[in-house]
Amino acid sequence: MYRSEYRRSFDVYLFVLPIIIFCIGLFFLYSASRGMQEIKGINFTARQVTWFFLSVAIAFVVANIDFRRFLDWSYLYYFLIVALLITILFIGGARMGAKRWLSIGGFTLQPSEFAKLALIMTIAHYLGNNRYSSRSIKIFFSALIMTAFVFILIFKEPDLGGALALLPILFAILIASDIPLGYILGSLILGVLSSPLLWYVMKDYQKRRLLVFLNPNMDPLGAGYTIIQSKIAIGSGGIFGKGWMSGTQNQLNFLPERHTDFIFSVVGEEWGFVGCLLVILLFSLLIFRVLQVAGRTNDYKGKLVVVGIAAMLSFQMIVNIAMTAGFMPVVGLPLPLISYGGSSLITTWIAIALVINVDMRRTIF
Amino acid sequence: MRLKILKNLIILGTALLIICLWYLQCVENERYKILSQNNRIRIVPLVAPRGNIYDRNMNLLAGSRLAFDCAIIPQEFDSESGQLGALCLLLGEPLEAIRDIINKNTIAPFAPLTLKKDIGKETAIKISEKIVDLPGVIIHTYPARFYPHANACAHVTGYVGKINEDELSVLRDYGYKMRDVVGRGGLELYYDDYLKGESGGRQTEVDSRGRELRSLGIKEPEKGLDIMTTIDIDLQEYASSLLEGLRGSIIVLESETGQILSMVSKPDYDPNIFIYPDNSLQVKRLLDRKDYPFVNRGISGLYPPGSVFKVVTATAALELGKIGDDERLNCNGYYMIGNRRFNCWRKKGHGSQKITEAIRNSCNVFFYQLGLKAGPDALTDFAERYQLNLPTNIDLPYEKSGVVPSGSWKRRFRKEAWYKGDTLNFAIGQGYLSLTPIGILKVYNTIAQNGYLITPIVVKNIGNVDVYNVEKSRINVTSNTFAAIKRGVGMAVEDENGTAHRAYVGGVDVAGKTGTAQTGAASTHAWFAGFAPNDKPRIAIVIFVEHGGKGGSIPCEIASKIFTKLKELEYL
């Protein structure tokens, strides 16, 4: 199907590392969902494996179609996503006070996950098309506005984490592009200065989360409960952890959301600091491999796409772990490849497939 | 290269993350380990049932029954569905009331919330049968104190309550803990140490909902020791019924042993109402009552004894040789000190009397003269020989010792000299003298036992070990004196015109003395103290009726009924 020179330049680590991370994640998902399985009657591990095969199948297809042909359709994805996000604002199923899911044939999809990819491709495509007028402030602002539009829609769901994840993606792509650094720095400073305005548009529960982050004991049984319990779980893990399937915080149900956003607290509790280091190390290896691809590709658009993906992965990894350990406010971001959830898994694998795609085609120029 | 900026940013973020995790997991590990242990391990206290209190025939006076509270775990209980209605129906409570409790009292979603206390065994069983359909509903079982004879024995048993802060600060060193139940009066208080037992505890692993998953260790609670009292509950109930509607006290004593057969104080209270805080209004009403239902009048009330005291005056005069057995003194209805007139209760006087006749007649003038002959110091001395100035050391709390006046006492407390008139009042049990009914009973029992001072007791057996031991000491009075007094108190009951004749019971040789004590108020306190049979006394008794009129009427009638009952119960 694909040409032999493509196969030769295929970086096997880009495929193997995510699988290792996923397998480790599967262990913890099993440990975390064992108790819930009985209550909810859902076998989370089996479902996640199903999602995995579906994701890899999709990734296989994505990897084998020239990414430039995908990029040609970028604006379509963008409009599709915007349409989906608008739809979801009106008819989406509410879970825990947030409309993030869309039910399609029994599956629930979370379009904000796919929005990241769509945005990466759109911005990359747009900046690539206008590479020679990079110094134009108009181009810079267009990129900002494209992002801001999606940002607001996701923020309105409300999904603060999903919205915030768009920002490092945008700025990573901008930094890697030919846009003058002055523009980027200027807009960053302006953004930081105007961030207090965000307070006025935040939902009550988002404000509460922020306040509770500053002082979790303010509401130890309500909003602060998750942070406190998660911190206790990770902190009590120590250096070597309590052993797989032996975390008391996890097994005795003290950790809410532990199969999705807070799965890292199970890693921290059961495998301790060593386990945390292992997971972070594997992610770092993956991210550096991705950045290497960005460095060695000759395709401008491809580089921007890969950089966006590297930013997406690292931001999610760092923010998710930091919020789980109580170093950051809870914003609701999954840990890629490890948290339970189909949308996140498919998005991540498509992202990986795109990186492989770009990497395999680096030599054709 | 711009990519380098990104790379460095990611390295920086990851490094910070690792440092933070290292701090959390390696530096602060101990702290979080303890927190996770506290999360997981819960100590469930196991309440030790209190020891039972029995009467002398092993009838239960105070015991423990299983009580059931109905509670819910809010996060597991769906109060919006039909479950709440079904539960209310089972509890027999209106839906609104329960909903109100849920709305007002919920502390945390996982903390059990009591909906109704003491729901009764039948309801508890009914709910337990349907517990599968009622997720989040729990039945909490614990031992609760109950008193089958309620009011009748209240002052003997006392009652229990949750320990309060003041009590805890004193008792903490003795192993008492918050939420412990402590005795609050009567035997419950006096023998609390034996009755309370030792609470146990179960260390269990719980999940986030507080559900117990497995037991890590258990310390079984130790039931408190059972106490067997000397009370005869049949007699107690009967005595209680005789005093119904009155204020006062009845104490019946086994003469030779000092064992209390019955001790009634009125007004009384139902010790069962203190078990639940829900009854606080009822308790408050009881506490606010002006007639002090909590005071055990038999041992904690101090009253002027009136004529029942005359036997002490007689003892002093006889013992000091101030009057002979056959020596006569005259009563013409009054006695003059200077120009102050001291009346006899019989206006026309009793004429010439021997001491036994004077006791029978309860003649005031005779005893005025006797008091003057003996002198106030001797009266004080003999009152103290009968230990009226001391508590009897009965094994019940809050006993008071009597007030026995003397010249120095009056100078000290009243800042006045002792007058002759004081001596006259002292001689007939009036004036500054004030005694407890049990103090009076001790005097008459000492006479009955020819001078043996016997400590009255209520408990004879604790945890199957006999603790009963007659404490006897001898009063420094000769037996001739007692013989004369016994003749007098015998005649008071036996003779048709004796002052205590209404206490007469055919076939029982009752001896006794009445008392009608001036109180300063319009009505007088009425007393009867005595024993039976006169020649070899087996029972001593005191009856006191606050503002009960003449000692010769109500108390004597009660005494007669009690002696009849005692005969029926084969104590006589």
Side-chain angles (χ1 to χ4, degrees), chain A residues 88-143:
Chain A
I88 215 172
L89 274 180
F90 292 103
I91 62 158
R95 280 193 205 167
M96 294 180 289
K99 290 179 178 176
R100 296 180 194 171
W101 288 269
L102 201 66
S103 283
I104 300 169
F107 287 109
T108 49
L109 288 178
Q110 211 180 335
S112 58
E113 286 296 327
F114 300 111
K116 292 169 199 159
L117 277 182
L119 190 77
I120 288 171
M121 290 163 81
T122 310
I123 301 282
H125 188 58
Y126 179 76
L127 292 180
N129 286 347
N130 297 285
R131 186 173 187 183
Y132 300 106
S133 43
S134 287
R135 305 204 64 82
S136 159
I137 191 96
K138 205 184 86 189
I139 302 297
F140 174 68
F141 274 120
S142 302

Side-chain angles (χ1 to χ4, degrees), chain A residues 175 177 179 229 235 249 252-253, chain B residues 2 20 29 39 207-208 213:
Chain A
I175 288 171
S177 74
I179 301 269
Q229 295 304 332
Q249 288 284 103
L252 302 178
N253 220 348
Chain B
R2 285 181 169 199
C20 286
N29 175 242
N39 254 351
D207 68 5
S208 62
L213 301 178

